[in-house]
């Protein structure tokens, strides 16, 4: 595939280190399933702050419309990105060895007034991808339809479960 046929990413997925990728790749898989081009990069708030600032400042000009940022421990990446860009930022708390990700969750959700970061459950990159898709679907009827189809399939998988084969009593 040549460069002209590769779609520019519209969702930026970033993690503070490569060790965050196994969780963040699940977001990328959901976005791919919905036909949303994305990129996955390491951007560390603490080790490479200048790179973080550059990423945040250049993202809109590169076509990025939503950022998903995964971070563990002190978890400053989502908040610092939100402080440096007007794009919506969705934080994914990465589970940690000592507190199971509660430290990450609390660090991400405790943003000061005026700099919001949407935050999903610990390790739930799939929901971050779905939220990003819903934001993008506000201006894309085709994408909205694909999200609706995904939800219908999800509901059908529950209703089709063998435990629901017999009608409810009464």
């Amino acid at each position: 595939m040549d460069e002209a046929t590769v779609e520019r990413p519209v969702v930026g997925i970033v993690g503070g280190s490569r060790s965050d990728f196994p969780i963040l790749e699940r977001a990328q898989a959901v976005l791919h399933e919905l036909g949303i081009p994305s990129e996955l990069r390491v951007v560390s708030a603490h080790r490479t702050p200048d790179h973080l600032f550059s990423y945040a400042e250049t993202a809109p000009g590169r076509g990025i419309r939503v950022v998903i940022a995964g971070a563990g421990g002190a978890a400053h990446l989502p908040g610092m990105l939100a402080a440096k860009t007007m794009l919506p930022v969705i934080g994914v708390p990465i589970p940690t060895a000592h507190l199971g990700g509660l430290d990450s969750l609390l660090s991400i959700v405790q943003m000061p007034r005026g700099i919001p970061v949407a935050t999903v459950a610990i390790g739930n990159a799939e929901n971050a991808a779905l939220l990003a898709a819903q934001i993008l679907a506000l201006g894309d009827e085709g994408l909205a339809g694909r999200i609706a189809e995904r939800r219908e399939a999800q509901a059908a998988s529950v209703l089709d479960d063998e435990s629901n084969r017999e009608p409810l009593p009464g």
Side-chain angles (χ1 to χ4, degrees):
M1 187 180 298
D2 67 31
E3 201 172 304
T5 60
V6 175
E7 287 191 72
R8 287 176 42 169
V10 295
V11 176
I13 306 170
V14 295
S17 67
R18 186 162 279 279
S19 64
D20 299 338
F21 279 21
I23 288 174
L24 297 175
E25 286 168 346
R26 298 191 314 233
Q28 194 168 40
V30 170
L31 294 169
H32 179 76
E33 173 191 327
L34 292 169
I36 301 170
S38 64
E39 64 184 16
L40 179 59
R41 296 179 181 231
V42 174
V43 177
S44 173
H46 300 114
R47 292 181 296 275
T48 59
D50 293 339
H51 179 57
L52 179 152
F53 286 8
S54 177
Y55 183 89
E57 292 166 353
T58 63
R62 295 184 300 105
I64 301 297
R65 296 179 53 208
V66 180
V67 176
I68 296 171
H76 291 129
L77 179 60
M80 290 301 297
L81 285 165
K84 292 297 289 180
T85 185
M86 297 297 290
L87 296 174
V89 175
I90 304 166
V92 178
I94 301 294
T96 56
H98 300 292
L99 296 173
L102 184 59
D103 49 347
S104 311
L105 173 66
L106 294 175
S107 293
I108 295 171
V109 300
Q110 293 298 323
M111 287 299 296
R113 286 176 185 84
I115 309 294
V117 173
T119 309
V120 297
I122 297 167
N124 198 336
E126 295 89 345
N127 270 0
L130 291 169
L131 181 55
Q134 287 176 231
I135 291 168
L136 295 169
L138 292 170
D140 183 336
E141 288 182 26
L143 177 55
R146 292 192 301 277
I147 294 168
E149 288 172 6
R150 188 180 197 281
R151 282 193 178 193
E152 289 168 10
Q154 186 177 12
S157 72
V158 172
L159 296 173
D160 292 343
D161 186 273
E162 64 184 58
S163 67
N164 290 320
R165 296 247 162 81
E166 294 186 28
L168 295 173

